[in-house]
């Protein structure tokens, strides 16, 4: 088993909040993590996709009254958003009795924003956290061979830990099929599975690229509005990231469309039928895939107050990733797959445009070294450690 970093954080969050929502895509390990964390704590687990689980919480107040001495874990909670209104009264009554923390743990496969809309009635009574796919620090550390395996197979535990690349690819294809044929119809509007698979595959081909809704609409023979609806669904299900442009007024002509990233590199490769590391290295998507992999790994360890952006001007100034810390500090990050990073003039210009406080180039080598102009070349694991250290220093 791979120890997830959130294993040590989740108990702390439960000790300071009445309820906690742990979000993440299906099969990422939420249930396993929740049950492991609560192994030494009296708890009761209900799967709300199970008719029996739904039956048990028809009268939430009565169910809670029968289990007041236990942490109540509700899985796939996005299926019953109406429950939050009822839980507000329960939590407030317990608060008046002095029971202010560790009452409920919600697990869900939809975005934090979507759950926040459903859980407005729990404002001030709920903490949100996300379980990302297994990341470089959790699995590979400084081992380049393990890092490349993680990049190829992605961060879903079953796919990553399969006995071979072939078995991993089969698992990921089954995962995609299950989402298209069962999970998405349950959670979202009726969209033909074949159409949505084509859309998902188009996003994989254009991994880390700027959204061109008109082109996607022409290719799928649908409207741009429909493309927006498809994209919203994939973002809400935590399968795709919509990376917004940094567009604060600096008197320049900026690219304002979002950059689109299929969040798990293994799913990207399965959609493109890339089965082995050597096949990936020879594929046109290799650079874009690496960029998406780096972005997702960095965001998996970034503090919750970080806002991610990218930056691009019509004159060619560009930054692959900007991390803005509560509006106070900005890190500019360029992402290069090669082992000898070379920077274009556009990165220097962009760093000056946004007045970046720190400037990094993530590359495929093992050592940190300065590149001039306050820019540091840094391996991915090292920058992840810097972000974790920054996060811990802010606590």
């Amino acid at each position: 088993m791979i120890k997830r970093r959130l294993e040590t954080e989740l108990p702390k969050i439960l000790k300071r909040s009445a309820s906690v929502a742990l979000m993440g895509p299906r099969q990422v390990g939420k249930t396993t993590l929740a049950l492991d964390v609560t192994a030494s704590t009296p708890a009761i687990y209900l799967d709300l996709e199970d008719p029996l689980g739904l039956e048990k919480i028809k009268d939430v107040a009565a169910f809670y009254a029968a289990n007041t001495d236990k942490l109540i874990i509700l899985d796939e909670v996005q299926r019953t958003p109406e429950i939050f209104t009822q839980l507000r009264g329960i939590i407030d009554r317990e608060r008046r009795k002095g029971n202010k923390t560790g009452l409920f743990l919600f697990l869900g496969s939809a975005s934090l924003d979507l759950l926040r809309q459903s859980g407005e009635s729990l404002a001030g009574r709920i903490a949100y956290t996300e379980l990302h796919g297994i990341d470089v620090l959790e699995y590979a550390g400084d081992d380049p061979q393990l890092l490349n395996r993680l990049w190829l197979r992605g961060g879903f535990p079953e796919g990553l830990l399969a006995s071979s690349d072939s078995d991993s690819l089969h698992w990921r294809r089954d995962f995609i099929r299950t989402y298209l044929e069962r999970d998405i119809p349950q959670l979202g509007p009726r969209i033909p599975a074949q159409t949505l698979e084509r859309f998902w595959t188009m996003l994989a081909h254009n991994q880390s690229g700027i959204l061109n809704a008109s082109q996607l609409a022409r290719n799928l023979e649908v409207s741009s509005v429909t493309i927006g609806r498809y994209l919203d669904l994939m973002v809400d299900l935590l399968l795709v990231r919509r990376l917004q442009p940094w567009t604060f007024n600096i008197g320049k002509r900026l690219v304002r469309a979002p950059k689109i990233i299929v969040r798990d590199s293994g799913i990207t490769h399965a959609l493109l039928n890339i089965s082995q590391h050597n096949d990936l290295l020879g594929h046109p998507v290799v650079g874009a895939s690496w960029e998406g992999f780096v972005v997702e790994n960095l965001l998996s360890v970034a503090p919750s107050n970080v806002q991610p952006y990218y930056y691009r001007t019509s004159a060619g100034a560009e930054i692959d990733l900007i991390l803005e810390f509560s509006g106070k500090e900005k890190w500019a990050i360029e992402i290069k797959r090669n082992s000898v990073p070379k920077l274009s003039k556009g990165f220097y210009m962009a760093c000056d445009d946004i007045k970046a406080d720190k400037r990094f180039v993530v590359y495929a080598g093992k050592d940190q070294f300065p590149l001039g102009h306050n820019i540091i070349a840094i391996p991915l694991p090292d920058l992840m450690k810097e972000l974790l250290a920054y996060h811990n220093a802010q606590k």
Side-chain angles (χ1 to χ4, degrees), residues 22 70 74 85 168 178 283 308 313 321 339 351 365:
L22 174 63
K70 300 181 180 70
L74 301 179
T85 302
S168 172
T178 300
H283 197 281
T313 72
L321 179 65
S339 57
C351 288

Side-chain angles (χ1 to χ4, degrees), residues 314-331:
S314 58
E318 182 176 2
I319 299 171
D320 292 329
L321 179 65
I322 298 170
L323 299 180
E324 187 171 74
F325 298 80
S326 297
K328 299 176 183 177
E329 184 174 333
K330 294 183 288 292
W331 293 13

Side-chain angles (χ1 to χ4, degrees), residues 75-94:
D75 203 349
E76 297 302 334
V77 72
Q78 76 279 348
R79 293 177 58 81
T80 57
E82 66 278 2
I83 198 175
F84 291 107
T85 302
Q86 303 174 59
L87 293 176
R88 175 178 179 172
I90 294 173
I91 290 173
D92 287 348
R93 286 195 297 273
E94 290 300 314

Side-chain angles (χ1 to χ4, degrees), residues 146-344:
L146 292 180
L147 185 148
N148 285 333
R149 180 184 296 168
L150 177 64
W151 176 28
L152 174 69
R153 297 184 180 186
F156 288 96
E158 293 289 335
L160 176 60
L161 301 178
S163 59
S164 67
D165 287 345
S166 175
D167 286 349
S168 172
L169 183 60
H170 281 298
W171 184 89
R172 285 175 276 138
R173 284 174 173 165
D174 289 342
F175 173 90
I176 292 167
R177 189 176 304 112
T178 300
Y179 248 104
L180 292 170
E181 296 176 359
R182 190 198 74 176
D183 294 339
I184 290 177
Q186 285 180 354
L187 295 171
R190 280 284 176 183
I191 302 171
Q194 187 175 15
T195 300
L196 201 54
E197 183 175 15
R198 286 179 61 203
F199 174 69
W200 204 353
T201 304
M202 287 177 187
L203 296 184
H205 276 288
N206 193 42
Q207 175 73 329
S208 306
I210 306 299
L211 174 65
N212 187 334
S214 298
Q215 182 65 50
L216 289 170
R218 285 194 294 272
N219 291 341
L220 281 178
E221 298 180 337
V222 298
S223 69
S224 294
V225 172
T226 299
I227 291 296
R229 184 163 57 91
Y230 291 174
L231 186 58
D232 286 343
L233 177 62
M234 302 298 275
V235 170
D236 281 340
L237 294 175
L238 303 170
L239 299 171
V240 169
R241 182 180 300 279
R242 190 192 280 117
L243 188 64
Q244 297 293 348
W246 195 87
T247 56
F248 297 90
N249 184 20
I250 59 172
K252 305 239 177 174
R253 292 182 59 191
L254 304 176
V255 174
R256 295 180 179 273
K259 185 182 285 190
I260 304 302
I261 299 172
V262 178
R263 292 183 59 168
D264 184 76
S265 59
I267 298 303
T268 302
H269 302 151
L271 289 165
L272 300 178
N273 199 31
I274 299 171
S275 59
Q276 296 183 346
H277 183 63
N278 285 340
D279 297 333
L280 173 58
L281 295 180
H283 197 281
V285 82
V286 60
S289 170
W290 174 250
E291 179 179 330
F293 176 72
V294 170
V295 168
E296 290 303 314
N297 271 271
L298 292 176
L299 295 182
S300 75
V301 297
S304 58
N305 65 346
V306 162
Q307 291 296 320
Y309 302 96
Y310 81 96
Y311 178 79
R312 186 176 297 180
T313 72
S314 58
E318 182 176 2
I319 299 171
D320 292 329
L321 179 65
I322 298 170
L323 299 180
E324 187 171 74
F325 298 80
S326 297
K328 299 176 183 177
E329 184 174 333
K330 294 183 288 292
W331 293 13
I333 301 167
E334 184 73 358
I335 299 167
K336 299 291 185 184
R337 174 58 199 155
N338 52 356
S339 57
V340 182
K342 295 181 179 179
L343 292 173
S344 67

Side-chain angles (χ1 to χ4, degrees), residues 14-73:
L14 285 165
K15 287 179 180 179
R16 62 175 182 256
S17 181
S19 61
V20 176
L22 174 63
M23 312 309 294
R26 289 181 181 273
Q27 302 294 321
V28 81
K30 300 184 300 294
T31 303
T32 301
L33 175 64
L35 296 178
D36 285 348
V37 165
T38 59
S40 58
T41 303
I44 185 166
Y45 169 85
L46 293 180
D47 183 354
L48 301 187
E49 286 194 321
D50 185 335
L52 181 59
L54 284 172
E55 184 68 27
K56 287 181 177 180
I57 63 159
K58 274 189 175 180
D59 187 339
V60 177
F63 181 79
Y64 181 79
N67 296 279
T68 53
D69 57 338
K70 300 181 180 70
L71 170 67
I72 297 176
I73 305 171

Side-chain angles (χ1 to χ4, degrees), residues 88-132:
R88 175 178 179 172
I90 294 173
I91 290 173
D92 287 348
R93 286 195 297 273
E94 290 300 314
R95 278 178 157 182
R96 289 192 289 271
K97 296 177 185 177
N99 302 325
K100 298 182 178 181
T101 62
L103 304 180
F104 295 95
L105 174 58
F106 308 119
L107 312 180
S109 302
S111 71
L112 299 182
D113 289 339
L114 192 64
L115 190 65
R116 283 192 183 103
Q117 294 168 20
S118 301
E120 279 302 311
S121 57
L122 290 184
R125 303 164 182 86
I126 186 169
Y128 298 89
T129 190
E130 182 176 347
L131 181 63
H132 297 258

